[in-house]
Amino acid sequence: MESNMIDEVISGVCDPSARKPHRAALILARGGSKGIPLKNIKNLAGVPLIAWVLRAALDSEVFESVWVSTDHDEIERVARVWGAKVHRRSPEVSKDSSSSLETIQEFIRVRPEVDIVCHIQATSPCLHPHHIREALQMITEQGCDYVFSVVRRHQFRWEEVDKKDDKNPTSPNLDVARRPRRQDWPGELYENGSFYFSTRKAWENGLKQLKKMAYYEMLPEYSVDIDVDIDWPVAEQRVLRFGYFGREEKAAVRLFLCKVSGCLTNGQIFTSVSGEDHVAINARDVAGIQMLQRDNIEVILMTSVNELLSRALLEKVAQLAGCGLRFGEQLDGLEVQWLMKEKKLRWDEVAFMGSESEDREILSQVGLNGVPSDAPVADLIAAKYMCQRPAGNGAVREFAEYILMLKKKSLMPVHQENIDRANF
């Protein structure tokens, strides 16, 4: 029965009475990375590396399930927070010598419902949902049983020679006497390691009996693969321009709500000899708030009636920051909803920065959320942006810059034809 289903998937013809093929995305994320420790969950441009591909896989809306295969507790936690299911791989496929194929085969052995697997590499943060959808069509509509991603490179290759042999090196793709111009040479295709689609049967056979295979060509700007630490700064700049930011990428933020304690301040209260309370506010955070206001984004500081700081001190903080102040009974989603109704705003037009577990409700509903690096709530939610800086030390400024970057990105879409691919 299972074999017949796979054959129907490959041929593109399904029996109407048969069940829909189960398509699963699988990201392999072993904890023992040698190049960069726990690379898969290290923050890249404010988001865990693995979250970039998880977001693309989930938003592609073509998978019945999205999985992370790991042997590490912290990777499992991050994967679940970002909406993935977790397959705890066995020690046998968690060794340095374990291959991706062995790990995928173990996964499908315990998941008999899966018919098609897309192995997505966590180290490819510029993957977009449309790449996944288009490649899957090559399996479901064109009859391929194996599809892999490639990128076109204009690079001349040379054979390595032993210096002791005193031989001239030779090139398999270049005639030195007739070196072509870039525009006169189509280049060559290289695997970019972004993803590998295949049917269950092909994976089970160790990819040895492939009937029809094809490549899916991705543009160079999307072909980012992080192997070593030196790649990180380059990848960060590339992902800010070409990465997939999820549905918030199109959001037009008009209101920024920010908790005072745990975001604008670090929670410390200084008491003088005379009994007066004092708090410290970072000048960079104040500048960040002013940047948003200059860009016509309203800023309101939020606090609850249970706040330890006095009302007079909170009002002084708001005055110093040059923005509004809102007191709430519980600071829950209902109170924010009333505020939005008052200002005629939708959830996707609101950004919120919180830090504590009681902020989860609002964080989960707004169009864009952010948390300081030391926020307790960071372990509980999939924050759209995780600041590198802690509360009271530039986190608000950092998140403000991120909001403005997304706004600029939404107003100035990338024109692919204007990209100088010679630099990729």
Side-chain angles (χ1 to χ4, degrees):
M1 177 66 180
E2 183 179 283
S3 177
N4 291 338
M5 171 58 66
I6 298 299
D7 290 340
E8 289 165 354
V9 170
I10 293 172
S11 65
V13 179
C14 286
D15 180 352
S17 64
R19 66 175 176 82
K20 179 182 177 182
H22 186 110
R23 297 162 296 196
L26 179 64
I27 296 95
L28 308 184
R30 193 169 63 92
S33 173
K34 298 300 181 183
I36 307 173
L38 289 180
K39 171 177 62 179
N40 294 312
I41 55 173
K42 180 179 177 181
N43 270 12
L44 178 72
V47 176
L49 177 60
I50 196 172
W52 287 99
V53 295
L54 281 174
R55 188 155 54 185
L58 290 164
D59 285 0
S60 70
E61 299 181 335
V62 297
F63 296 114
E64 278 65 49
S65 57
V66 176
W67 294 83
V68 170
S69 171
T70 187
D71 60 338
H72 196 279
D73 292 343
E74 185 61 11
I75 295 176
E76 176 177 356
R77 184 191 68 78
V78 172
R80 291 191 186 280
V81 163
W82 278 89
K85 297 181 179 182
V86 174
H87 165 70
R88 288 297 294 221
R89 62 171 68 179
S90 67
E92 288 72 29
V93 296
S94 300
K95 305 171 185 175
D96 290 341
S97 58
S98 300
S99 69
S100 297
L101 178 58
E102 291 172 329
T103 312
I104 295 169
Q105 288 175 330
E106 179 191 73
F107 169 76
I108 59 177
R109 277 198 299 271
V110 298
R111 304 251 57 102
E113 74 278 9
V114 173
D115 301 305
I116 300 172
V117 176
C118 179
H119 168 213
I120 300 175
Q121 302 252 66
T123 52
S124 300
C126 286
L127 180 69
H128 282 240
H130 75 267
H131 297 139
I132 296 170
R133 288 193 291 265
E134 291 167 5
L136 176 61
Q137 288 177 343
M138 300 172 77
I139 296 278
T140 59
E141 298 178 14
Q142 299 179 26
C144 296
D145 53 359
Y146 184 64
V147 176
F148 57 97
S149 58
V150 300
V151 62
R152 190 173 299 274
R153 302 286 190 204
H154 289 76
Q155 296 174 324
F156 298 121
R157 294 178 289 117
W158 289 87
E159 299 288 351
E160 185 177 4
V161 296
D162 192 330
K163 294 180 180 179
K164 297 177 182 178
D165 294 339
D166 195 28
K167 291 182 179 179
N168 288 332
T170 58
S171 172
N173 67 348
L174 171 66
D175 180 351
V176 179
R178 297 181 179 179
R179 181 180 291 269
R181 298 181 304 168
R182 182 184 178 90
Q183 60 267 35
D184 296 331
W185 182 47
E188 296 181 332
L189 298 177
Y190 291 79
E191 282 191 21
N192 70 353
S194 189
F195 59 79
Y196 303 85
F197 263 109
S198 192
T199 61
R200 179 188 188 91
K201 185 176 181 180
W203 288 120
E204 288 176 333
N205 291 337
L207 306 178
K208 294 177 181 178
Q209 299 176 8
L210 299 175
K211 296 179 181 178
K212 184 178 181 181
M213 59 189 296
Y215 58 78
Y216 175 83
E217 184 174 350
M218 293 173 62
L219 294 173
E221 52 266 33
Y222 299 119
S223 297
V224 177
D225 188 24
I226 303 174
D227 282 327
V228 292
D229 214 1
I230 198 171
D231 296 337
W232 212 265
V234 176
E236 199 152 59
Q237 291 303 311
R238 187 84 69 85
V239 80
L240 286 173
R241 186 175 180 191
F242 301 112
Y244 174 68
F245 287 78
R247 294 185 173 91
E248 73 269 19
E249 185 174 3
K250 301 299 181 184
V253 173
R254 295 172 56 192
L255 174 64
F256 174 46
L257 305 176
C258 180
K259 288 284 294 291
V260 177
S261 293
C263 293
L264 190 61
T265 72
N266 61 8
Q268 291 183 317
I269 303 174
F270 306 95
T271 305
S272 66
V273 176
S274 60
E276 295 180 333
D277 289 341
H278 302 271
V279 293
I281 301 177
N282 195 294
R284 285 175 295 185
D285 291 331
V286 174
I289 288 173
Q290 294 170 347
M291 287 164 54
L292 292 172
Q293 291 172 324
R294 284 195 298 270
D295 216 78
N296 298 317
I297 297 175
E298 184 179 1
V299 180
I300 297 178
L301 300 182
M302 300 190 71
T303 185
S304 70
V305 293
N306 299 320
E307 173 63 63
L308 295 178
L309 298 176
S310 68
R311 189 182 186 105
L313 186 55
L314 289 166
E315 290 174 346
K316 184 67 176 177
V317 169
Q319 181 183 358
L320 182 62
C323 59
L325 177 67
R326 191 97 175 189
F327 288 89
E329 292 292 331
Q330 301 294 331
L331 273 189
D332 56 15
L334 184 60
E335 290 187 59
V336 174
Q337 202 161 4
W338 277 107
L339 176 63
M340 289 162 48
K341 186 176 181 180
E342 174 188 316
K343 296 184 176 295
K344 298 179 180 179
L345 296 174
R346 305 185 307 271
W347 280 110
D348 62 352
E349 296 176 310
V350 180
F352 175 62
M353 189 173 202
S355 64
E356 301 296 332
S357 58
E358 57 261 31
D359 301 328
R360 284 181 68 181
E361 183 182 355
I362 304 176
L363 285 165
S364 65
Q365 293 187 73
V366 294
L368 184 61
N369 63 43
V371 297
S373 62
D374 57 345
V377 77
D379 290 344
L380 306 175
I381 66 158
K384 300 290 178 64
Y385 188 82
M386 170 75 73
C387 295
Q388 297 183 35
R389 292 185 174 275
N393 192 26
V396 173
R397 165 65 178 264
E398 186 182 336
F399 188 44
E401 290 177 340
Y402 183 75
I403 293 171
L404 293 174
M405 184 273 294
L406 281 183
K407 183 176 181 180
K408 181 179 179 182
K409 188 178 177 71
S410 66
L411 294 174
M412 299 178 63
V414 175
H415 296 291
Q416 301 295 342
E417 66 273 14
N418 295 332
I419 294 172
D420 179 11
R421 294 191 176 86
N423 294 320
F424 283 87

